[in-house]
Amino acid sequence: MKNRTFTCIICPNGCDIAVEYDDEGYFRCEGNLCPKGEKYVLNELTAPQRTISSSVVVDGGELPLASVRLNGPVPKDRIFDVMKEIRAIRLKAPVKAGTVLIKNIFGFDSDLIVTRNVEKKA
Amino acid sequence: MQHFDIIIIGAGVVGSAAARELSRYKLKTGVLEKTPDVCCGTSARNSGVIHAGFNNKPGSKMARFCVEGNAGFDKIAGELDIPFRRTGKLVVGFSSDDKERLIAMKTQGEKNGVPGLKMVDKDFIRQIAPNVKGEFALWSGSTGICSPFEFTLAMAENAAANGTEFFFDSEVTDIRWDGKNYSITAGGKEFTSRWIVNCAGLGSDRISSMLGIDGYTIHPCKGEYFILDKKAGPLLPVPAYPVPNPKEGGLGIHLTPTIDGNILVGPSNEYLNDSDDYACEQDVMDMLIADGSRIFPHLKREYFIRNFAGIRPKLTTKEEGGYHDFVIERRAEAPHAVNLVGIESPGLTSSVPISKEIVRLIQEEEKLSLRDDFDPIRHRITTFADKSPEEQAGLIADDPDYGEIVCRCETITKAEVLAAIHNPLGVHTVTGIKYRCRAMMGRCQGGYCQTRIAELIMRETGCSREEIVYGKDDSWMFTGKVRG
Amino acid sequence: MDVYRKGAWMMITEHRNVIIIGGGPAGLAAACALYDKGVKDILILEREPRLGGILNQCIHDGFGLSRFGETLSGPEYAGRFIEAVRQRKIDYITECTVINLDNNKCVTAAAQDGLKKYQADAVILTMGCRERPRGGLAIPGDRPSGVFTAGVAQSYMNLHNTMVGKKAVILGSGDIGMIMARRLTLEGAKVEAVFEILPYPSGLPRNIEQCLNDYGIPLYLSHTVTRINGKARLSSVTVSEVGRDMKPIKGTEKEWPCDTLILSVGLIPENELSLQAGVVLDGRTKGAIVDENGMTSVPGIFAAGNVLHVHDLVDFVSLEAEKLAEGVSAYLQDAGEGNQKTCAIDIQTDETIGYTVPQKVSGKKDVTVSFRPKFPSQNRVFEVYQGDRLLTRKTVRKAIPAVMLHIDIPAEKFVSEETVRVVSHEE
């Protein structure tokens, strides 16, 4: 039997969730205010996932950068690979929020999307 | 290789005053400054008080030049368009010992020719400065306050407008005399000059030695300060000093309103081994508050916006204490040099008379002739915050950049920041811009405007992120772009 | 110089129903809610070139969970409100800085096309907050470059495409500091550690997890920077442990080499204009004292969002600003029924609670009181009394200063004009 505690990152409540589990599939958790917490902890135990936000460079815009984020989580250990992809992108103004830059990044159910409009420099 | 008639070493307040005074004459004058701007050392880091002259020994140069400098300050402030206010000053006492010392200071001051000194009682203190503690005080009516940076800058700019050349990042590393001219190596460049004026402040002993004049040692003595928020400003209308300890060679922890409306608390008195140690120390900071609170019990933490330290170039050691008179001399070892050593307090007040003394010493050797096109007038950057709404509307109509507030704490507009960036001396450091227009000087200390000022510096000067310098050499701000 | 004395400049005063100072999340939400209540003559004055306020630089996600039921980045969250303002054709002016506000609701603002003067019937203060700088902490040491507040570093990196350093130490465990720790790490900088003077973190637990733990960045509680070293660029900071009295413990000093120090040591509501207008501030929140309608001590001047008290979630900023609309429109429509006076019943707290907002109520309306516990605790009971009478209570499983709490008091519970007290104790 193993014991661990997690701080749930799904919402600002940040529940402290205590977990009991073993390798045979036994799993019990307490401290989560909602079912999302249980799902989060299960993921953390098996395949932790994260989303990230960053920026891509924009040429000819009112701002030099457009912010971007993943709209779904990817395995935590792929975060720096995602950053590599983000660094390689170069956009031309105007840029629209919501534009998908990479669909299903690395084959995961997660797109890299633009999160702000950047107009052409006046 | 550039040749000059006169090279001034050091662009502090004395060097800048000398530059301006010499620019009245038909001379080619250059100023060599080791830092990236004028007024980066002792001259900027003090109380900004234009002293009356009662602290100095009768018959000394300190006494004479201080009294003269104070008397002439309205005129120079007018010519240079710098704010100056004769606030008067209180030196407050509590004990009978204090009283004796204050009376002695008054007598000394009167001997020096200081006008408007009087002993005053508690009621007088309460009327002039209700928040200042003290049983009685010496009131000095002629004491005033100015911005030491703006004063220095204004003289340097006026000198530059009258033809003086300034070389920054030009630390003097070698001086040679060939019987006719000096050859000077500074910042990797070579200069020649018929005269040298040593205004090197904390480095004046080193320059003396290079000139062949031995025997001087500067003992750096640090003074730390707190700057208080303008919110506290109205609590203190005049400088309030304790009775100084004559052994210390400082004026004691005092409270000074600044010309811009803040309050300074300090300075401490710490002898150092390193003349470049501007760090503030916790125990000293605690002492400043404890000591300052004795005469001004309003030193609340919420008023603190910044700390800084200045260093006095003293000729007396810690053990000797007190003051050594200004050294302003010509010596046989260095026939074409005017050597100034140990110009400490009251150097700011004395700087203009000192500059006239420099000219007098040079004139002993050669006749200088006045230019007929010297223009003594310098204009400061037109400020927005202190104008009436009608004037502000007029400023914006003439220059829309006056309608863009860059620094919200001090209400400094883009027009002022741009004028500061395009300053006559060509200085582009972040602190250089800050001192010239007061942006980033307020309570948020650049939290709102520093990013935009950095952007404006890049845009206006064409420099890259990596090239922006905060204040001193090597004080880089950024490593480059985040992307591409 | 005489450039500005070119004759008398006629300043025309424009009349507006409502002027909103600040086009960040609070201002935008207040504008839309007011519009929807039928107040159409609104003008938002924003000093930046674009609406959205600080959200523009908050490119991380986690916004909007309670407001929109999904997680958004700052620009997206702001974008929804900006879109709502545009749809309603609410007037706004950007790059327009208010430089004066008086107690008569007269607003003076500077913009490139002139100095503007407005007479408003009501003014809404939504100026947000600013960061506490190094000077406010009086950290000893040198004054090198490389010391940034977290928000300034965030602005440099996310808006100005400017990288601030390679090796960073963060002082203060505020949320922005932790978010910047992750941001710097993702961009290739090494973040050595986060130091917090308090024995507990200042920011949200989820940020400790996803911004620090995920990237192996240690958080040292009860530690603070006691010296800044470096004559030109920052070369190191000295860090000491602090005792229960929050004073550094001698002998625990350790030097941490770094070229960048990020300060995340508190936010201060930006109330310079409020003070000009004579608005009375609360020494605890550093924001205005307001009643349940969001009205300050100056009738007709309202406040919401971070200018009122620093929030941990923008969702609550929006909510607070939206609720204001009711009070503002009542103030505008009505004269006589007490809507034009600030409410009279005070809300006080015991020593376990940092503050409440509002600080005043009428006793005639349902009211939600926001407050912060002063220290972390488990299973804490919060109670609201009027005199000896318990009005309502609420048990909170995990109460921490980083998370603002709310308690509802229904109108019918109020029994008198007596002072209301919010207190707490262990379960």
Side-chain angles (χ1 to χ4, degrees):
Chain A
M1 190 74 64
K2 297 172 192 170
N3 288 294
R4 273 179 76 180
T5 47
F6 292 87
T7 302
C8 179
I9 64 167
I10 301 301
C11 89
N13 284 332
C15 295
D16 289 324
I17 306 176
V19 193
E20 269 183 15
Y21 66 103
D22 65 19
D23 296 336
E24 270 82 67
Y26 172 77
F27 176 87
R28 205 176 75 84
C29 70
E30 66 172 33
N32 48 312
L33 290 171
C34 77
K36 285 183 199 155
E38 186 172 333
K39 195 171 154 231
Y40 169 76
V41 168
L42 273 168
N43 264 335
E44 284 299 288
L45 285 173
T46 52
Q49 292 189 315
R50 294 292 183 268
T51 61
I52 58 164
S53 305
S54 186
S55 299
V56 297
V57 73
V58 179
D59 290 324
E62 40 151 7
L63 287 168
L65 299 172
S67 50
V68 297
R69 69 175 170 96
L70 293 179
N71 65 1
V74 296
K76 195 161 129 180
D77 55 14
R78 300 301 299 273
I79 291 296
F80 283 91
D81 296 330
V82 175
M83 281 304 294
K84 230 179 252 168
E85 297 295 316
I86 289 173
R87 269 188 214 110
I89 297 171
R90 193 165 197 109
L91 303 176
K92 236 193 198 110
V95 176
K96 277 256 160 272
T99 308
V100 176
L101 298 178
I102 303 175
K103 182 102 188 130
N104 296 338
I105 192 161
F106 303 135
F108 300 109
D109 186 18
S110 170
D111 305 333
L112 183 72
I113 59 165
V114 175
T115 60
R116 76 160 307 129
N117 297 333
V118 179
E119 306 297 334
K120 265 193 184 158
K121 194 185 262 172
Chain B
M1 174 91 68
Q2 272 187 284
H3 181 75
F4 288 91
D5 296 314
I6 299 185
I7 275 189
I8 298 164
I9 301 172
V13 70
V14 177
S16 299
R20 177 175 188 257
E21 192 58 29
L22 285 163
S23 70
R24 295 175 193 271
Y25 297 90
K26 290 178 181 157
L27 293 166
K28 186 166 151 60
T29 306
V31 182
L32 305 180
E33 167 56 46
K34 72 173 178 180
T35 70
D37 200 351
V38 296
C39 208
C40 280
T42 311
S43 304
R45 298 157 168 270
N46 54 69
S47 305
V49 170
I50 299 306
H51 289 294
F54 54 79
N55 271 309
N56 311 103
K57 243 189 229 149
S60 65
K61 289 182 188 132
M62 278 181 169
R64 178 156 64 96
F65 292 147
C66 184
V67 173
E68 227 178 283
N70 180 297
F73 212 85
D74 300 276
K75 178 165 179 271
I76 188 143
E79 288 177 348
L80 298 174
D81 192 19
I82 59 165
F84 168 60
R85 205 162 82 236
R86 276 193 200 278
T87 50
K89 153 174 153 177
L90 290 165
V91 188
V92 298
F94 298 89
S95 65
S96 56
D97 265 16
D98 287 351
K99 193 157 206 169
E100 257 174 55
R101 295 235 292 278
L102 287 178
I103 291 169
M105 276 163 73
K106 177 167 176 282
T107 311
Q108 174 168 277
E110 281 160 352
K111 259 191 211 156
N112 292 343
V114 177
L117 293 176
K118 62 177 181 184
M119 289 299 297
V120 296
D121 60 12
K122 211 172 174 171
D123 282 349
F124 184 96
I125 299 174
R126 198 172 299 146
Q127 250 176 25
I128 294 263
N131 298 301
V132 170
K133 298 273 172 242
E135 293 300 313
F136 46 83
L138 172 63
W139 168 251
S140 161
S142 65
T143 304
I145 55 173
C146 75
S147 154
F149 182 85
E150 199 164 352
F151 176 39
T152 305
L153 174 72
M155 292 194 289
E157 285 187 355
N158 188 231
N162 284 298
T164 305
E165 284 184 66
F166 284 79
F167 300 88
F168 297 107
D169 299 310
S170 301
E171 180 169 15
V172 173
T173 46
D174 189 34
I175 300 174
R176 299 164 306 277
W177 169 247
D178 67 2
K180 212 172 134 206
N181 284 308
Y182 284 105
S183 302
I184 303 157
T185 310
K189 296 170 294 244
E190 297 294 324
F191 301 86
T192 56
S193 177
R194 214 166 63 251
W195 284 89
I196 283 182
V197 183
N198 173 12
C199 300
L202 288 162
S204 58
D205 53 349
R206 201 171 55 86
I207 300 295
S208 284
S209 306
M210 286 189 203
L211 287 167
I213 303 168
D214 290 321
Y216 291 118
T217 306
I218 292 291
H219 304 283
C221 179
K222 183 158 73 178
E224 295 184 30
Y225 288 90
F226 267 95
I227 308 180
L228 305 189
D229 195 306
K230 282 183 173 177
K231 274 190 282 188
L235 299 172
L236 185 77
V238 306
Y241 285 54
V243 176
N245 175 352
K247 293 227 175 69
E248 272 205 335
L251 298 177
I253 309 306
H254 49 260
L255 289 303
T256 314
T258 71
I259 196 79
D260 298 301
N262 300 90
I263 295 176
L264 298 177
V265 188
S268 58
N269 226 41
E270 310 154 59
Y271 277 86
L272 305 169
N273 299 318
D274 172 7
S275 67
D276 195 30
D277 171 12
Y278 289 101
C280 294
E281 308 298 338
Q282 187 67 58
D283 50 341
V284 177
M285 289 157 72
D286 294 343
M287 180 276 290
L288 290 181
I289 296 305
D291 244 39
S293 298
R294 285 197 314 136
I295 52 177
F296 184 71
H298 291 273
L299 302 180
K300 286 191 264 174
R301 199 179 177 89
E302 59 172 289
Y303 293 143
F304 301 171
I305 61 171
R306 201 176 174 86
N307 297 79
F308 69 95
I311 304 179
R312 309 168 180 90
K314 291 191 79 76
L315 276 168
T316 52
T317 61
K318 183 176 184 183
E319 292 67 36
E320 289 160 347
Y323 294 90
H324 187 290
D325 200 6
F326 295 150
V327 171
I328 305 168
E329 62 182 6
R330 282 191 58 215
R331 295 266 290 254
E333 301 96 302
H336 271 200
V338 180
N339 193 37
L340 286 74
V341 190
I343 313 295
E344 56 153 320
S345 179
L348 187 76
T349 314
S350 308
S351 55
V352 173
I354 289 174
S355 71
K356 293 189 196 304
E357 176 70 2
I358 292 167
V359 171
R360 190 189 68 76
L361 288 168
I362 294 171
Q363 297 245 44
E364 284 180 354
E365 178 77 18
E366 64 178 67
K367 176 92 186 82
L368 305 180
S369 47
L370 285 165
R371 293 166 43 175
D372 40 25
D373 59 348
F374 172 78
D375 182 0
I377 303 300
R378 170 259 182 191
H379 295 291
R380 73 194 299 235
I381 296 171
T382 303
T383 51
F384 178 81
D386 54 349
K387 302 294 185 290
S388 71
E390 290 73 20
E391 290 170 333
Q392 288 176 335
L395 280 174
I396 299 172
D398 281 342
D399 178 355
D401 284 339
Y402 271 105
E404 193 176 324
I405 310 292
V406 173
C407 166
R408 64 193 166 183
C409 298
E410 300 287 312
T411 320
I412 309 298
T413 63
K414 186 175 171 188
E416 292 156 80
V417 175
L418 288 176
I421 293 172
H422 296 291
N423 64 80
L425 297 175
V427 172
H428 297 133
T429 62
V430 174
T431 50
I433 309 306
K434 164 173 143 174
Y435 282 129
R436 280 166 176 80
C437 66
R438 282 196 64 76
M440 305 178 274
M441 288 255 214
R443 62 179 60 104
C444 91
Q445 293 283 295
Y448 178 60
C449 63
Q450 197 206 66
T451 51
R452 290 207 269 175
I453 289 169
E455 197 103 306
L456 285 172
I457 294 174
M458 287 192 287
R459 204 188 71 192
E460 296 296 311
T461 68
C463 73
S464 68
R465 288 167 176 76
E466 295 89 328
E467 287 164 334
I468 294 187
V469 168
Y470 180 61
K472 294 181 188 164
D473 291 329
D474 303 323
S475 59
W476 52 274
M477 294 278 291
F478 312 118
T479 54
K481 290 182 176 179
V482 175
R483 288 274 175 284
Chain C
M1 281 209 283
D2 275 1
V3 288
Y4 51 87
R5 294 198 190 91
K6 284 198 175 163
W9 286 90
M10 290 292 289
M11 298 237 302
I12 298 155
T13 302
E14 191 183 329
H15 178 267
R16 287 287 183 156
N17 238 201
V18 178
I19 298 266
I20 298 178
I21 306 178
L28 297 173
C32 292
L34 257 180
Y35 188 94
D36 296 344
K37 281 225 170 308
V39 180
K40 314 272 172 181
D41 180 20
I42 303 169
L43 176 62
I44 306 171
L45 301 176
E46 166 56 43
R47 65 187 179 198
E48 290 283 319
R50 48 190 72 81
L51 295 174
I54 202 70
L55 288 173
N56 281 309
Q57 69 184 59
C58 300
I59 64 168
H60 52 280
D61 66 5
F63 300 93
L65 262 176
S66 66
R67 186 65 174 65
F68 296 113
E70 58 181 311
T71 175
L72 301 170
S73 68
E76 289 169 292
Y77 186 95
R80 300 216 174 172
F81 282 92
I82 295 169
E83 194 46 43
V85 163
R86 290 197 178 130
Q87 273 171 7
R88 289 167 177 77
K89 297 193 166 55
I90 296 170
D91 289 342
Y92 64 89
I93 308 177
T94 53
E95 294 180 286
C96 179
T97 308
V98 175
I99 56 173
N100 195 55
L101 169 67
D102 70 16
N103 61 358
N104 201 28
K105 290 156 285 179
C106 182
V107 178
T108 312
Q112 289 251 357
D113 61 350
L115 198 70
K116 299 163 188 294
K117 217 168 169 184
Y118 301 98
Q119 179 60 58
D121 298 324
V123 171
I124 304 181
L125 308 174
T126 49
M127 291 91 77
C129 58
R130 61 184 158 82
E131 298 180 282
R132 189 189 303 282
R134 171 186 174 183
L137 304 177
I139 306 172
D142 300 314
R143 309 215 57 91
S145 62
V147 181
F148 300 92
T149 53
V152 169
Q154 190 179 45
S155 168
Y156 274 129
M157 285 183 70
N158 296 348
L159 294 177
H160 297 266
N161 195 16
T162 297
M163 192 67 187
V164 294
K166 290 189 173 124
K167 193 173 189 177
V169 158
I170 296 181
L171 175 61
S173 58
D175 288 315
I176 320 170
M178 294 198 279
I179 283 158
M180 283 313 292
R182 174 176 63 182
R183 185 86 191 96
L184 281 158
T185 306
L186 287 174
E187 293 305 340
K190 175 91 178 78
V191 177
E192 295 288 323
V194 177
F195 299 101
E196 169 61 55
I197 192 168
L198 295 170
Y200 52 85
S202 309
L204 298 171
R206 67 194 296 237
N207 285 332
I208 299 174
E209 194 57 38
Q210 61 184 354
C211 297
L212 305 186
N213 296 350
D214 272 3
Y215 298 92
I217 300 165
L219 167 62
Y220 294 88
L221 299 173
S222 297
H223 278 71
T224 194
V225 171
T226 46
R227 204 165 199 287
I228 289 171
N229 308 306
K231 283 183 178 164
R233 177 75 185 198
L234 182 68
S235 57
S236 70
V237 294
T238 308
V239 173
S240 303
E241 271 178 56
V242 299
R244 279 171 173 227
D245 58 356
M246 306 263 281
K247 295 247 157 63
I249 301 169
K250 280 236 155 45
T252 61
E253 298 84 3
K254 193 179 163 215
E255 201 169 326
W256 290 76
C258 56
D259 61 28
T260 303
L261 173 65
I262 305 282
L263 300 175
S264 179
V265 290
L267 300 169
I268 306 165
E270 192 163 320
N271 275 291
E272 279 70 14
L273 290 170
S274 325
L275 288 170
Q276 278 180 3
V279 167
V280 178
L281 301 189
D282 183 330
R284 302 166 300 175
T285 56
K286 314 281 182 217
I289 291 175
V290 292
D291 65 15
E292 64 204 23
N293 303 310
M295 189 149 79
T296 67
S297 62
V298 179
I301 299 184
F302 297 78
N306 281 348
V307 76
L308 188 53
H309 58 136
V310 176
H311 295 61
D312 33 274
L313 291 177
V314 70
D315 302 66
F316 291 139
V317 167
S318 306
L319 207 67
E320 188 173 274
E322 282 162 350
K323 274 172 61 183
L324 200 73
E326 199 179 316
V328 176
S329 77
Y331 173 86
L332 290 172
Q333 284 161 18
D334 170 354
E337 286 198 14
N339 284 324
Q340 298 211 321
K341 270 202 254 151
T342 313
C343 301
I345 302 175
D346 285 319
I347 305 183
Q348 294 180 347
T349 66
D350 68 2
E351 69 286 353
T352 65
I353 289 161
Y355 65 82
T356 70
V357 168
Q359 294 90 337
K360 283 173 176 291
V361 288
S362 64
K364 297 187 183 91
K365 283 188 196 168
D366 296 348
V367 55
T368 301
V369 176
S370 304
F371 61 96
R372 273 180 204 279
K374 264 197 178 163
F375 47 83
S377 57
Q378 306 274 339
N379 300 321
R380 192 130 193 120
V381 183
F382 294 90
E383 293 174 329
V384 182
Y385 285 92
Q386 196 170 29
D388 295 335
R389 193 185 157 98
L390 178 68
L391 305 189
T392 184
R393 73 192 304 176
K394 174 177 188 170
T395 305
V396 177
R397 211 173 61 192
K398 192 169 112 185
I400 55 173
V403 175
M404 193 196 298
L405 299 171
H406 309 275
I407 196 162
D408 295 322
I409 315 173
E412 65 272 13
K413 293 276 186 184
F414 292 101
V415 285
S416 66
E417 300 280 296
E418 273 180 285
T419 296
V420 172
R421 285 173 48 80
V422 182
V423 300
S424 82
H425 56 78
E426 281 174 41
E427 196 173 36

